[in-house]
Amino acid sequence: MPFKRPGLLAALVAAGFLTAPADSRAGNEADLTVSDFYHQPPTPDLLHSPPRKSEGMARFLDNLLDGRTLPIPCASSLLQELRRHRDALADSTREALRSLSQPPVLDSDGNRPTRDGRYTIHYTVDPESPDAVVTADKDFNGVPDIVDQVEEALALAQGTISERLGWPAPASRIQGEPYDVYLVNLGEGRQGFTPVERENLSTRQDDAFSHMVLDSRLDGNALKAAVAHQYAHASLYELSTRAPAWWAEATAAWLEVQVTGDPSPHREAVARRLERMSSSLASDSLVLSLGNLLWTSLLADRWEGRGEELRQIWLESSLRSGEPLLPLLDEVLRRTGEGTLAEAFQDYTRWALFTGPRDDGNHFRLGGLFPPLVQRVNHQSFPAESAGLETVEPLGAAVIRFEGDGKPGGLRIRFEGEVPSLLQVDLVITSSGETHPHLVDMNLDDRGRGEVGIPWRNVREAVMIVRYPALDGTSARFHYVAQLDPLYPFDLSSFGALASPGGITLQWTTARETDLLGWNIYRSDRPSGPFRRLNPLAVPSGSDTVEETDYLYQDTSAQKDHRYYYQVEAITVLGLPERSFVLSARASGDEAVP
């Protein structure tokens, strides 16, 4: 059905009532995007001067950030994105990037080859150096404990990521030599980064040599997580150096969680992603890139949880250097029988509802450890309407919640999207006392309009997902209105039951029916239930009508002198139920008493 006010979307545009979505108006103060670094025109490269020992890598990171705050503990994806677009950077940023890409220079460099010979851990105990590690040596092996912990964490990461899951091991800059790991002071909140030193020109893959830099003040689980995360980045560089930050950081986070079994270090980033679902999955926000752990978890959990789907996408991109990621991702999903990118994104927006306390064990494998989704807006009274025009970015989704209030009748939701657009609208409806929600697709016509009616009295909540599966382009705009209709989906004018020779006869009459498909009859021995359905096939309804419609049903299984309690249940065309009040009758000639 159309809106009561035709052309409402166009009228709002003309009037200028366009407001930014709630999840883009908040939560950006501690974020950083890659494009923030492209605000200055490119200038000729400065002559490079080697790093001074007294400065340390923390100073180089400070120079790169130029007063900004790194909002996530890993700088790898940021460095690689800037490296790929270095011609667009200011000369001071390029200079800092160049310094960060080189192996650190440590005072009194200590070298610790790991027992398996695959890595060399570089550190310093010089008390005058800003990079000095704590010298505690509890096992008296002559090596600081943190170095021993790094070796153990490297072995754990390699055993999980490379040996069990089949991802490549990191490659050192000199073939056959151990991979270099450096312990330095990176500054508050920075756990590590893995810079690319140079591309490997001897293979057809888009791979590269790298080294790992870790903060020297890490310890315990934080150190184990940081090592696993940087090992993941080094492994991914063996496949491709051209992956965008949102994809590389999300994959590294997923691989880290496979090592540690704990997504909690990224809880804040995932929470921000769940707050800003309408921002594109391919956003260059560093916080959202890390929060896309939710997306890589979906891809992995849909395929037995081992991440083979992720690995196939990375393998394909390594052999097809320079091709855009999203079309390639769609192609791999189709070829592996996992549907399309649009279908995976549809699942992602639906699964996102089942995190934190809402985890039902049927979606994300670690869903209970993720934070809960925060809806863009929560409507608690009706009528309700969007605040002007809402927007959603390509590969983004707006989530709107309508809270049940126990009122009889139905909630009618009318939607209008900008034309032309690819907007898709779902409703996830949860009834009171039920744990399994009902999923409804709202079909939009060629004008971008649609309407859904929801029997409302027993609904706890209805969540509307407005999804935009386009791969690129500008944001799509939409508007919605939600109103209560006390006579939806039916107006029951009478309902009675009489004892009859064949058992008990039920009679009911409706004065109006909307969107009805049929009726079911329920019976119980007690007024409070439980009620059991009697009819094997639904009683056909009068569909959409404002005329009186009479119904008759004979309960032939009723036993004489036994009192029963009845309800009739209407089923809408969307499969949503709405029950009547309860009445009773005795199979002995008594007339029913509502």
Side-chain angles (χ1 to χ4, degrees):
M1 293 184 183
F3 283 103
K4 291 182 178 179
R5 292 169 286 176
L8 177 59
L9 191 68
L12 285 168
V13 173
F17 296 126
L18 178 59
T19 59
D23 52 355
S24 67
R25 290 193 293 262
N28 295 311
E29 62 278 357
D31 202 356
L32 182 65
T33 65
V34 176
S35 55
D36 289 338
F37 291 83
Y38 306 149
H39 65 285
Q40 297 186 35
T43 56
D45 281 346
L46 296 178
L47 292 175
H48 174 61
S49 56
R52 294 191 295 272
K53 293 183 179 181
S54 60
E55 288 184 312
M57 300 303 282
R59 173 67 65 84
F60 292 141
L61 268 176
D62 290 339
N63 292 343
L64 180 82
L65 295 169
D66 192 23
R68 308 176 185 93
T69 299
L70 185 67
I72 61 176
C74 171
S76 297
S77 295
L78 172 62
L79 296 182
Q80 189 56 20
E81 281 279 5
L82 297 182
R83 186 175 185 274
R84 289 167 48 210
H85 300 92
R86 50 186 173 268
D87 290 343
L89 302 177
D91 51 0
S92 60
T93 306
R94 286 199 299 271
E95 178 69 14
L97 180 63
R98 196 162 31 231
S99 298
L100 289 166
S101 299
Q102 295 181 345
V105 178
L106 296 174
D107 297 295
S108 305
D109 189 358
N111 299 315
R112 167 68 172 178
T114 58
R115 286 183 288 272
D116 59 11
R118 294 176 174 175
Y119 309 95
T120 298
I121 304 171
H122 302 266
Y123 63 96
T124 181
V125 295
D126 183 351
E128 300 299 322
S129 171
D131 298 315
V133 301
V134 176
T135 57
D137 181 16
K138 294 181 180 178
D139 59 0
F140 301 105
N141 67 346
V143 177
D145 291 336
I146 185 175
V147 178
D148 291 331
Q149 292 178 41
V150 170
E151 180 174 356
E152 293 171 3
L154 285 167
L156 180 61
Q158 178 175 303
T160 302
I161 296 174
S162 297
E163 296 172 10
R164 181 168 68 85
L165 297 178
W167 296 73
S172 62
R173 61 184 179 275
I174 301 177
Q175 189 172 5
E177 292 293 313
Y179 186 86
D180 290 314
V181 179
Y182 296 86
L183 298 179
V184 301
N185 180 0
L186 293 178
E188 189 67 30
R190 305 163 182 172
Q191 293 188 355
F193 61 88
T194 300
V196 166
E197 294 183 29
R198 60 184 175 87
E199 280 78 13
N200 183 1
L201 302 179
S202 64
T203 68
R204 58 179 296 216
Q205 296 178 220
D206 181 29
D207 56 348
F209 303 113
S210 63
H211 61 266
M212 190 184 304
V213 180
L214 298 166
D215 186 71
S216 57
R217 298 164 301 163
L218 294 172
D219 194 10
N221 290 335
L223 177 62
K224 182 169 70 172
V227 170
H229 195 90
Q230 298 311 320
Y231 185 101
H233 275 294
S235 174
L236 297 179
Y237 289 151
E238 274 290 277
L239 296 171
S240 176
T241 60
R242 297 179 181 272
W246 71 267
W247 176 240
E249 195 61 33
T251 307
W254 182 83
L255 287 169
E256 172 200 326
V257 173
Q258 305 319 296
V259 176
T260 65
D262 181 15
S264 62
H266 308 310
R267 183 177 178 85
E268 183 176 344
V270 174
R272 294 284 287 279
R273 167 43 78 191
L274 287 167
E275 290 171 3
R276 297 169 57 188
M277 288 290 288
S278 66
S279 295
S280 176
L281 194 64
S283 167
D284 69 345
S285 154
L286 293 183
V287 170
L288 296 187
S289 295
L290 182 57
N292 282 344
L293 165 62
L294 206 67
W295 167 248
T296 46
S297 295
L298 168 106
L299 294 177
D301 291 348
R302 292 198 321 162
W303 196 348
E304 300 179 355
R306 289 181 53 84
E308 186 60 24
E309 195 171 68
L310 294 175
R311 197 171 72 91
Q312 289 297 324
I313 294 167
W314 276 90
L315 286 171
E316 193 75 23
S317 63
S318 73
L319 299 174
R320 296 164 63 175
S321 174
E323 291 191 26
L325 174 65
L326 291 174
L328 189 149
L329 198 156
D330 180 68
E331 179 183 324
V332 174
L333 291 177
R334 291 173 185 270
R335 191 169 63 242
T336 56
E338 293 298 309
T340 65
L341 174 58
E343 290 169 344
F345 182 63
Q346 180 185 68
D347 286 345
Y348 166 72
T349 60
R350 292 171 176 174
W351 283 33
L353 300 180
F354 300 96
T355 58
R358 291 172 175 262
D359 176 38
D360 60 0
N362 297 319
H363 296 88
F364 292 108
R365 184 171 60 89
L366 299 176
L369 300 179
F370 291 136
L373 180 140
V374 177
Q375 297 85 10
R376 172 182 286 194
V377 63
N378 182 31
H379 294 293
Q380 297 177 304
S381 60
F382 305 97
E385 187 172 359
S386 56
L389 289 180
E390 300 284 351
T391 62
V392 58
E393 296 178 4
L395 287 181
V399 182
I400 296 105
R401 181 174 183 262
F402 304 97
E403 186 173 326
D405 55 10
K407 291 183 179 179
L411 186 70
R412 308 284 290 272
I413 301 175
R414 299 179 177 89
F415 179 92
E416 185 174 354
E418 196 170 31
V419 178
S421 76
L422 300 174
L423 286 177
Q424 300 171 348
V425 183
D426 294 338
L427 282 153
V428 180
I429 303 162
T430 306
S431 298
S432 300
E434 294 186 4
T435 56
H436 297 291
H438 194 102
L439 176 64
V440 171
D441 294 322
M442 181 187 290
N443 294 318
L444 304 183
D445 61 22
D446 55 5
R447 296 177 296 174
R449 296 177 178 179
E451 180 176 350
V452 162
I454 306 170
W456 197 241
R457 180 172 52 188
N458 295 315
V459 169
R460 186 170 78 240
E461 67 172 12
V463 177
M464 183 169 71
I465 304 171
V466 182
R467 183 172 49 254
Y468 190 27
L471 302 188
D472 52 29
T474 59
S475 298
R477 298 180 288 187
F478 64 92
H479 180 264
Y480 62 87
V481 176
Q483 295 176 315
L484 287 174
D485 180 351
L487 302 180
Y488 183 90
F490 60 85
D491 178 13
L492 189 64
S493 57
S494 68
F495 180 27
L498 290 173
S500 61
I504 294 177
T505 301
L506 300 180
Q507 297 175 313
W508 68 99
T509 300
T510 60
R512 190 187 87 168
E513 295 182 3
T514 307
D515 295 342
L516 281 197
L517 183 64
W519 297 86
N520 292 320
I521 295 87
Y522 286 83
R523 188 183 75 184
S524 175
D525 294 326
R526 297 189 298 273
S528 59
F531 285 84
R532 181 177 62 86
R533 179 176 165 178
L534 295 179
N535 54 314
L537 298 175
V539 176
S541 77
S543 190
D544 288 358
T545 178
V546 294
E547 303 291 336
E548 282 198 349
T549 306
D550 297 319
Y551 296 93
L552 191 72
Y553 182 84
Q554 183 75 22
D555 179 9
T556 58
S557 63
Q559 298 179 12
K560 188 176 180 180
D561 294 327
H562 194 89
R563 179 169 289 277
Y564 295 98
Y565 299 85
Y566 294 92
Q567 282 182 304
V568 291
E569 176 188 72
I571 303 297
T572 72
V573 292
L574 297 176
L576 302 175
E578 174 71 354
R579 292 193 184 185
S580 69
F581 55 83
V582 177
L583 60 74
S584 68
R586 182 184 295 115
S588 62
D590 290 346
E591 185 172 342
V593 180

